[in-house]
Every structure is written in C-alpha cells, then in structure tokens.
Amino acid sequence: MEFDLESQPEIVQTIAGYALQGWELALTWLLSPAAWSQFALLIVAYLAAVVITRRLRPALARLLDPGDSDTVLAKARRFVAQFLPLVLPLMAYVLTGIGESVVRSIFDSGAVIAFGKRVFLFLAVRAMVRDIISDPFLKLLGRYILIPIAALYALALLGPVATRLEATVVPLGNLSFNLLWLLQFLAVGGVIFWLGQWSNSQSSTFIQRQEEMRPSLRQLVAKSVEFLIFGVAFLVLMNIMGINLSALAVLGGAIGVGLGFGLQKIASNFISGVILLVEGQATVGDYVELDGGEAGTIVKMTARAAILETYDGRWIVVPNEDFITTRVVNYSDSGSANRYEAPFSVSYNTDINAVPDIINTAVSKLDFVLDTPEGPDCELVGFGDSGIDFAVEYWVNGIDDGKNKYKSHVLFAIWNALKEHDIEIPYPHRVVEMKGELRTTPL
C-alpha cells in the first residue's frame, strides 16, 4: 500500500520519511544473522549485568554506609551511595561495549548492539532523574531536557533533530536566534544559576557560622558573596553562549538612567541597606522602634527593606532609608539589658519610709531581675487623690513582651509583699457631705 504524501505538510513528510527508514532498518535486522546474534548478545549482557548487580550492589551499599558519622569522608560516601541505582544500566552498558568489539571483529557490523548500548545509557539517565536527583529544579531540567535528549540519542535522531532546530531561525527585531541556541541557553543558564544558588547557600551557611564576626558584618559579607557569585555566573553564561558583552553597554546605560530618574527610592534603599550593614547600628535580632511608630524585632534584612516582627506575630516591611533618615530607638544595640518600671500605690495610713526596702527586697528575689547595672530601685513618685504613688525600676535581660512578660511577675511580687506586711492598696472612693435638714415625704 502506497500513500501520496506530496500534498501533506513538510513535517508530515519528514516524519513519514523517518518512519520508512526505521521500517527498512527493522526488516534488515530481522533478516540478518549478524543482527540476531547481536540481539542474543544484548540479552546475555543484560542478564549478566543483573547477576553481577545482585551481588555487587549490597557489597557496595555496606562499603559506602557511613553510619551516624558526620565527617567530610562520611558525607562523600553518602553522596556516592546515591548513585547505586545506576549500577545495573551502567554494568549492562559496559558488558555490551565489550560484546560490541567482539561482534565487530567477527561480522564487521555492530549497529544492533550499538543501539542496545544507547538504550542502556538512556535507562541510566532515566534512573538518575527518577531516583537520584532530588532538587526540584534539577529534576525539572532532567525530566524535560535530559531524558528527551537521551531518548533522541538512543534512537540515533539527536543529530537530525539538532540540525533541524539549528535551521529554524526566530527573528526578533534586528536580532535573530535559532531554536537550538535557545534550548542550549535555557539549559546551560538553568544549570549555571542553580550552581550559583547552591554555592551561595553553602557560603552563606559558612559565613553565618563565624560567630566572631558582628551579625551586621556577616550579613554584609553574605550579600557581597551573593552578588559576586551571581555576577560571575552571568558573565560565564554570556561567555559560553557567545554573547558579546560590549553589546550590553547600551542596556547598562539605560538601566543607569532608569536608576537615576525612575528608581531613586530603590537605589536609596539599597545604599541605605549597605550603610546599615557596614555600621551595624541595626541588625537581625535587634528590637527597634522608629519615629513612625513601627516597632518590632528585625527578622530579616534585604537589599530594599528590613522586616520587623511585632509581638503579635505581624510582619512590618520598613524601607532601609527610614533607618538612616529618621530617629531609631534600638533597645538591643547597647546590650541585652533594659530597664523597666512598675507603678503602684499605697494607702495614706502607710509608713512610707518602710515601703522601698520591702519592695526592693521582694523584686530582687525574682530570678530575671538583674543586680547590674543596678538592682531594683523603689522611688516615691507623688501623692495621688486616693493614695501615695510609688514606682519600682528594675533591669532585665531582653525586651519586655508588650510590657507584660516581666512586669506582670513584678506586680505579683509587689502585691504579695504589700499583703504580707498588711499594707493597704488604695482604691478610689468619695465622701459625700449633705447640708441642710433631710426631709422625707410621707407615702
């Protein structure tokens, strides 16, 4: 049966041509004794690989098992152990390669066994993507780029497909590029920037472990290393893909003009962030309060803004410029000790000379109250309408959680101490004086 494909689109004719070539090749293999011998050799090589793998893989697993050790050598052994699923297809590939040399010396032909080698290599790539790669981005690249490339290579179609993609040119204004270049750019760029992200994560972890450095300096070094890594990754990508960096000069000038006019705030916040990291006036972990009323603990500092976490769990994004141009109160900058005050009142019938010693003794017994820079200090504040007003000042480590974390315990201690010494805590009351005769109206 013959089909007239002249009226069909070019791609249909191309596919039909490849299908016809495959059919003719299959018929040639089916009628060739050399092809049958190569098929048999492929089966023998695979079965031999299965037998060897069943004995070799458990031994390798025991050899590479580091137990609970966390040394550099143990990490290397764990890394190598991840590749054990590749033992079977690679062993079959090696045995098939040995058989190919034998077949070619006998029959002067090895097309079938070469096809088997490519299939085993495809199975190795598939096992690596499915069982070994765990990173989501790399798994995505493997699933949609690496496996299709391996499949085309196994079918001996990688060359023709690459030629076809290279011949397909996409115009873009004054520029143009082919589809093969675009796919290479996406794949290489993805791998390079993933390596940059991984390198940045490792370097950031190492820098954060350097406790002898100030937190702000660690942040600055980590950010500098991040910019350096991705800058180098960008330059490497441009060089690999053959892009002339001088062509980016116009783009860089346009970006500079944009920063000068339309992105002034972003540039100002970026420079303010660098100043903050260099001077260390505010860093991650500090509790700060700004003129605008924003207050909280700095949990993250980015290139544009700092993120404050309030005591009720809300996050406030504060531009870095606000830390430079406005007044900022840093409760953690001069040390972790902070002073607070707890007010109270006693009755006018109280011997007020004894109150300071009673309260100072009671508050000093609390385990969170510090003796330095100063112990509890009870002071007379004034004479109120209902009682005599006092306040006790005390120092603690850290920040009072909404003025309740420490103050509540201090007020409990004051109450118990006053009750223990029979000191009355006043409450508002009024005396009503009635002048004149009180008259009652009979019912």
Side-chain angles (χ1 to χ4, degrees):
M1 181 180 297
E2 296 182 356
F3 297 95
D4 184 13
L5 300 176
E6 294 183 357
S7 60
Q8 300 297 325
E10 183 180 356
I11 186 173
V12 175
Q13 299 180 25
T14 302
I15 294 175
Y18 285 135
L20 182 60
Q21 293 178 12
W23 174 251
E24 293 176 351
L25 180 62
L27 288 178
T28 302
W29 287 357
L30 289 174
L31 300 177
S32 171
W36 281 104
S37 63
Q38 293 177 50
F39 277 122
L41 188 58
L42 282 176
I43 296 175
V44 171
Y46 179 76
L47 294 177
V50 170
V51 173
I52 295 174
T53 302
R54 286 181 179 178
R55 296 178 177 272
L56 182 61
R57 184 168 174 174
L60 292 176
R62 290 191 299 268
L63 179 64
L64 297 174
D65 184 13
D68 297 332
S69 178
D70 197 31
T71 62
V72 177
L73 181 60
K75 294 179 180 179
R77 291 166 67 182
R78 288 193 187 95
F79 177 78
V80 176
Q82 296 177 348
F83 294 90
L84 288 178
L86 300 181
V87 173
L88 176 59
L90 292 181
M91 183 63 66
Y93 179 85
V94 171
L95 295 177
T96 305
I98 297 174
E100 181 183 12
S101 61
V102 176
V103 170
R104 288 190 182 276
S105 63
I106 298 176
F107 297 101
D108 196 22
S109 173
V112 176
I113 202 166
F115 171 74
K117 280 180 59 180
R118 296 194 297 269
V119 170
F120 289 140
L121 188 60
F122 167 77
L123 294 177
V125 172
R126 180 172 174 271
M128 183 176 65
V129 174
R130 183 187 60 188
D131 302 327
I132 298 175
I133 297 177
S134 58
D135 183 82
F137 180 74
L138 290 183
K139 188 176 283 291
L140 182 67
L141 287 180
R143 185 178 300 167
Y144 293 104
I145 295 181
L146 190 58
I147 289 182
I149 290 176
L152 291 174
Y153 174 75
L155 297 174
L157 296 177
L158 184 59
V161 171
T163 303
R164 183 66 179 178
L165 291 175
E166 189 174 7
T168 305
V169 178
V170 179
L172 186 63
N174 294 330
L175 303 176
S176 62
F177 55 87
N178 58 70
L179 292 181
L180 180 62
W181 181 91
L182 178 62
L183 293 177
Q184 290 174 342
F185 180 83
L186 294 176
V188 175
V191 172
I192 288 178
F193 279 94
W194 178 87
L195 288 174
Q197 181 65 34
W198 179 84
S199 301
N200 177 61
S201 176
Q202 298 297 317
S203 60
S204 178
T205 302
F206 174 77
I207 293 171
Q208 295 302 327
R209 290 176 181 173
Q210 310 307 311
E211 298 181 356
E212 66 275 6
M213 300 171 61
R214 289 190 295 113
S216 59
L217 184 58
R218 291 201 299 265
Q219 289 283 332
L220 177 61
V221 173
K223 289 295 181 183
S224 301
V225 171
E226 180 179 358
F227 288 132
L228 177 63
I229 289 175
F230 284 104
V232 171
F234 175 77
L235 294 177
V236 169
L237 177 61
M238 295 297 102
N239 187 43
I240 291 176
M241 301 310 300
I243 298 177
N244 188 3
L245 294 179
S246 61
L248 300 177
V250 177
L251 179 61
I255 293 176
V257 173
L259 287 174
F261 290 97
L263 304 177
Q264 295 182 33
K265 284 293 184 181
I266 295 178
S268 175
N269 286 321
F270 176 78
I271 296 174
S272 299
V274 174
I275 294 174
L276 282 174
L277 293 175
V278 171
E279 294 184 350
Q281 294 179 353
T283 186
V284 175
D286 289 352
Y287 183 86
V288 297
E289 183 176 350
L290 281 73
D291 265 352
E294 300 89 351
T297 302
I298 301 178
V299 295
K300 187 178 182 180
M301 297 188 71
T302 64
R304 187 189 66 85
I307 299 177
L308 309 184
E309 184 177 11
T310 64
Y311 285 123
D312 53 6
R314 293 180 174 88
W315 280 21
I316 304 175
V317 180
V318 180
N320 291 328
E321 186 182 12
D322 291 356
F323 286 89
I324 304 298
T325 59
T326 62
R327 185 177 64 91
V328 179
V329 179
N330 191 337
Y331 289 88
S332 307
D333 186 53
S334 60
S336 59
N338 290 279
R339 190 185 68 174
Y340 294 96
E341 181 181 276
F344 65 96
S345 300
V346 298
S347 171
Y348 275 99
N349 298 325
T350 305
D351 180 10
I352 61 174
N353 296 302
V355 171
D357 291 336
I358 294 173
I359 299 303
N360 288 338
T361 302
V363 175
S364 63
K365 293 180 180 179
L366 299 174
D367 56 358
F368 56 82
V369 176
L370 304 177
D371 295 329
T372 55
E374 185 182 2
D377 182 19
C378 182
E379 300 175 346
L380 177 63
V381 177
F383 301 98
D385 295 337
S386 302
I388 303 174
D389 298 330
F390 283 87
V392 58
E393 297 173 349
Y394 57 95
W395 288 80
V396 296
N397 271 324
I399 306 297
D400 200 345
D401 187 358
K403 305 297 187 292
N404 295 319
K405 181 178 180 180
Y406 300 116
K407 186 176 179 180
S408 175
H409 297 287
V410 173
L411 291 176
F412 268 110
I414 294 172
W415 172 275
N416 294 330
L418 294 179
K419 288 297 182 181
E420 183 179 351
H421 291 83
D422 296 325
I423 298 176
E424 180 184 354
I425 298 178
Y427 53 89
H429 62 278
R430 296 290 182 268
V431 177
V432 180
E433 181 180 349
M434 302 183 64
K435 294 183 179 181
E437 184 179 356
L438 181 64
R439 297 180 180 179
T440 59
T441 302
L443 296 175

